[in-house]
Amino acid sequence: MASRTFQISFAGLVTKFSRLSIPQTSPVIISHHCARCVHTQSSPLLFHATSQLWGAPMKKKKKVDPAVLMQRETKRKKKIERQMKRLEKFGRRLKPVDEIDGDPKILSQIRLRRRPPAVLTFEEGERRALLQKQWSRSKLHQHTEEAATLSSLLITQDRALDELKFESEELYNMAIQLDEMLIGTQMKGPTATPPIKGYFAKDGEYIDTTKTYD
Amino acid sequence: MWKYLDNCQPPKAKPEGTESERLKQYDSGQRKRSFQADWTKSDSVRNYLQLRQSSSGALCTPGQWQLVSAVCLQRQPIITAEKTELEQQYADMMAQMELETSLLSDQELRAIEDKAIEAKRKQQEENETGEGEVEGARVTALDLEDAWEAEAKQFTPAARITEADEKNDQRSVERRLDKPLVLLVKQTLGDKSHWVFPQGPRQEGESMRQAAERVLQNLCGQQVGAQFLGNAPCGFHQYRFPPKASIGTGAKVFFYKAWYKEGDVIPDKENSTDYMWVTFDELSDHCSRPYLKSIGNFLVDL
């Protein structure tokens, strides 16, 4: 009786764990419920369990041609090179001012870089306000002087041209011609110090390797 | 009416006596009316107003006067002018204000870090932990500044006041580098020799500008390089010949402005005996008054 119940429970186990194959010690005992217990080979399949596949069967790995692999590598390299060229080209072009977000490095450090607010005395504030007024007055003065000077220049030139016209129409017409040579001339303004005579400008970084013989 | 104007207060009623006081101040000169401000009295404004009021000179038949071209050759300033007191003060104030509203620079951050590290080190010394830190491993802000100063000292710029300034050599172009210089030439016109801009009569088949270019080449030498500013003259001067000489009535001089580029002036001995480079203020020492009057209108140092 006991052996019979053992047989039945054995069969139940096997049906439950369908992936498991359990070695049968006595091939004589054959359960009528399960055909899986039948082993046709002499060495029975041993106990093994596969990893959890979550329902997805594994793909078969195809063998890739080495030539195809090389092609893929070169394609990737070319793509990166193309991107670099594009960056270089667009990097030189300046962004419109509205799109500029400022230096990201400094923006990240902005809390660190806040300056402690300056404390102005009353006298200093007054001095600054008065200086500002004085400056604006002097700038107005400068502007009226410049405007008067420029107007005087134009009047003198007009008078000279009137005289020339009075003298000779032909000369006057030659004088009012546009001077094409002036278009495109470049003039440099004054600097803080005069240019050094015979100065040799060294271009770029260099290491002086002249041998000195003492 | 006042209640219909927004943001507008009716004028406060002034007490009786103050009106006459104010008028007295205007009369005495303590107060100035707005149109009496200083800037209306400047030279250039007065000059302009005079020019506008006066009329041009020539009212005689054409062809009697000899047409003469003259060249006003100017060496423009090479260095910037010194700041006036007000400009210096304002520049300092602006720099201060900019500093106050700016963020800390990398150099300043470095200095703050140095201080923190110093304080820490001193604390450690006080606590006598015994483990001394390696000195000299960190490049401090002051070290960097010293290195930069040393590098800057290796370059010495040229001096603003040149040798010619010290010798007061009026023949040199290097003289007053912060002011424009103009070329004066000693020419014999008739009997006497005058200090004038190089001038010469216009020949047949020339325009006035071509005449001016030729005159410059002849009187000052072929090597003088000048950039003429257009075909139109910038000024005009008229003078009569002495009637005894019977050359004609007189000459009408048309001035042409040119920027000096390079080259030494070598005066041609026939027409011009001597030359000098002179600032606008020094012109009055050498030129006659009517000539100066015609010249002053277009000599500008802005």
Side-chain angles (χ1 to χ4, degrees):
Chain A
M1 268 247 191
S3 59
R4 230 183 274 151
T5 50
F6 178 76
Q7 271 182 35
I8 292 164
S9 66
F10 201 66
L13 251 177
V14 171
T15 47
K16 218 182 180 182
F17 301 104
S18 56
R19 296 280 171 93
L20 288 170
S21 353
I22 304 160
Q24 288 265 338
T25 43
S26 47
V28 179
I29 304 166
I30 296 166
S31 163
H32 292 289
H33 297 281
C34 174
R36 274 182 245 209
C37 304
V38 176
H39 289 273
T40 50
Q41 285 143 7
S42 52
S43 55
L45 295 167
L46 294 171
F47 205 108
H48 75 275
T50 55
S51 56
Q52 292 187 6
L53 294 173
W54 298 100
M58 293 214 274
K59 290 185 197 162
K60 262 193 192 171
K61 216 179 180 188
K62 292 179 197 164
K63 283 196 181 165
V64 191
D65 257 343
V68 174
L69 264 175
M70 288 276 283
Q71 271 185 359
R72 281 199 202 147
E73 277 296 315
T74 46
K75 268 193 203 164
R76 248 178 256 149
K77 263 197 218 166
K78 275 192 182 169
K79 200 176 177 187
I80 290 171
E81 274 174 8
R82 246 183 285 145
Q83 278 181 352
M84 274 171 60
K85 267 194 196 171
R86 211 180 296 155
L87 249 178
E88 278 179 6
K89 201 170 102 182
F90 287 106
R92 259 182 269 131
R93 264 198 241 160
L94 297 167
K95 260 181 162 176
V97 175
D98 297 332
E99 284 180 33
I100 293 176
D101 300 312
D103 193 358
K105 188 178 133 193
I106 292 181
L107 285 173
S108 62
Q109 292 176 331
I110 204 161
R111 257 190 247 140
L112 210 73
R113 287 179 188 258
R114 284 244 160 76
R115 202 181 280 274
V119 178
L120 276 183
T121 58
F122 174 73
E123 283 85 19
E124 179 64 17
E126 287 288 296
R127 182 192 83 93
R128 283 189 184 181
L130 290 171
L131 186 59
Q132 186 76 289
K133 287 181 189 253
Q134 203 182 352
W135 177 253
S136 78
R137 241 180 285 135
S138 90
K139 276 290 167 185
L140 173 65
H141 179 95
Q142 193 180 5
H143 174 76
T144 43
E145 278 198 338
E146 284 178 7
T149 318
L150 290 172
S151 301
S152 308
L153 273 173
L154 289 173
I155 289 172
T156 351
Q157 187 167 55
D158 286 338
R159 296 246 173 98
L161 282 169
D162 288 338
E163 294 286 340
L164 193 60
K165 188 170 187 180
F166 184 80
E167 281 295 317
S168 142
E169 195 73 38
E170 193 194 324
L171 285 174
Y172 171 74
N173 287 331
M174 283 203 273
I176 56 174
Q177 293 298 315
L178 178 69
D179 183 12
E180 311 260 299
M181 301 290 280
L182 268 185
I183 298 167
T185 48
Q186 287 182 343
M187 301 186 200
K188 280 189 179 174
T191 48
T193 52
I196 300 171
K197 288 210 165 68
Y199 180 71
F200 174 67
K202 301 164 192 169
D203 275 331
E205 295 277 322
Y206 75 105
I207 301 166
D208 197 14
T209 53
T210 46
K211 291 191 180 163
T212 51
Y213 301 102
D214 294 312
Chain B
M1 182 192 78
W2 290 101
K3 58 184 175 186
Y4 300 117
L5 295 164
D6 297 341
N7 299 335
C8 196
Q9 297 281 320
K12 293 178 201 163
K14 286 186 188 140
E16 284 285 311
T18 48
E19 270 300 315
S20 51
E21 269 182 43
R22 284 183 114 220
L23 285 171
K24 274 190 209 161
Q25 283 183 334
Y26 276 121
D27 291 331
S28 65
Q30 274 185 312
R31 270 182 194 266
K32 273 192 201 165
R33 293 199 159 82
S34 57
F35 55 84
Q36 290 167 325
D38 287 326
W39 55 262
T40 56
K41 292 185 187 148
S42 70
D43 280 336
S44 34
V45 174
R46 259 190 294 160
N47 195 26
Y48 164 68
L49 292 169
Q50 268 177 7
L51 254 184
R52 272 189 58 184
Q53 284 166 4
S54 65
S55 55
S56 61
L59 288 165
C60 41
T61 51
Q64 286 182 345
W65 300 77
Q66 192 186 42
L67 294 179
V68 174
S69 275
V71 179
C72 170
L73 189 64
Q74 281 188 25
R75 192 276 276 139
Q76 289 299 92
I78 296 177
I79 56 177
T80 52
E82 295 273 358
K83 286 200 180 90
T84 62
E85 213 186 287
L86 175 64
E87 282 174 346
Q88 190 60 55
Q89 281 181 3
Y90 193 71
D92 291 336
M93 185 186 88
M94 282 279 103
Q96 227 181 330
M97 283 169 74
E98 268 190 43
L99 189 67
E100 283 165 13
T101 54
S102 68
L103 295 175
L104 293 170
S105 65
D106 289 343
Q107 181 71 357
E108 286 177 297
L109 280 185
R110 209 191 188 97
I112 291 169
E113 276 173 28
D114 289 342
K115 276 191 194 161
I117 288 173
E118 263 297 311
K120 224 181 179 181
R121 203 163 57 83
K122 280 196 176 159
Q123 232 190 11
Q124 278 187 343
E125 279 181 20
E126 274 177 34
N127 295 344
E128 290 173 17
T129 46
E131 292 168 19
E133 282 184 39
V134 180
E135 281 194 34
R138 183 185 161 78
V139 183
T140 60
L142 291 173
D143 287 339
L144 280 174
E145 280 178 25
D146 290 335
W148 294 334
E149 261 190 65
E151 198 184 329
K153 272 190 189 158
Q154 288 178 5
F155 174 75
T156 46
R160 281 170 68 98
I161 299 172
T162 57
E163 279 180 58
D165 274 322
E166 282 159 24
K167 289 188 221 160
N168 205 18
D169 179 15
Q170 295 204 313
R171 295 224 182 89
S172 158
V173 199
E174 310 287 325
R175 204 159 64 93
R176 295 285 309 272
L177 293 177
D178 59 338
K179 292 229 167 251
L181 291 180
V182 80
L183 180 70
L184 273 183
V185 141
K186 197 162 190 177
Q187 276 191 271
T188 46
L189 306 164
D191 312 332
K192 292 187 248 173
S193 59
H194 303 267
W195 282 105
V196 286
F197 293 151
Q199 67 181 59
R202 171 194 159 260
Q203 286 164 2
E204 282 298 319
E206 269 187 339
S207 74
M208 295 307 288
R209 178 189 160 154
Q210 286 163 356
E213 284 174 347
R214 181 183 51 82
V215 158
L216 186 65
Q217 297 273 292
N218 291 349
L219 265 64
C220 304
Q222 300 277 335
Q223 70 293 338
V224 173
Q227 169 72 55
F228 276 80
L229 304 176
N231 291 319
C234 60
F236 168 76
H237 177 64
Q238 209 174 1
Y239 64 91
R240 286 185 181 278
F241 294 143
K244 295 181 224 163
S246 64
I247 318 165
T249 350
K252 284 191 179 176
V253 189
F254 293 94
F255 296 101
Y256 277 83
K257 248 197 214 175
W259 281 177
Y260 168 80
K261 279 207 223 152
E262 76 268 301
D264 288 324
V265 174
I266 302 170
D268 140 44
K269 299 296 171 191
E270 299 171 25
N271 300 314
S272 51
T273 40
D274 200 7
Y275 72 97
M276 63 172 157
W277 289 97
V278 146
T279 58
F280 300 155
D281 311 316
E282 295 164 9
L283 272 176
S284 52
D285 301 336
H286 308 281
C287 303
S288 66
R289 264 188 104 198
Y291 195 69
L292 261 179
K293 204 177 167 197
S294 307
I295 286 175
N297 291 326
F298 60 81
L299 289 179
V300 155
D301 179 18
L302 279 179

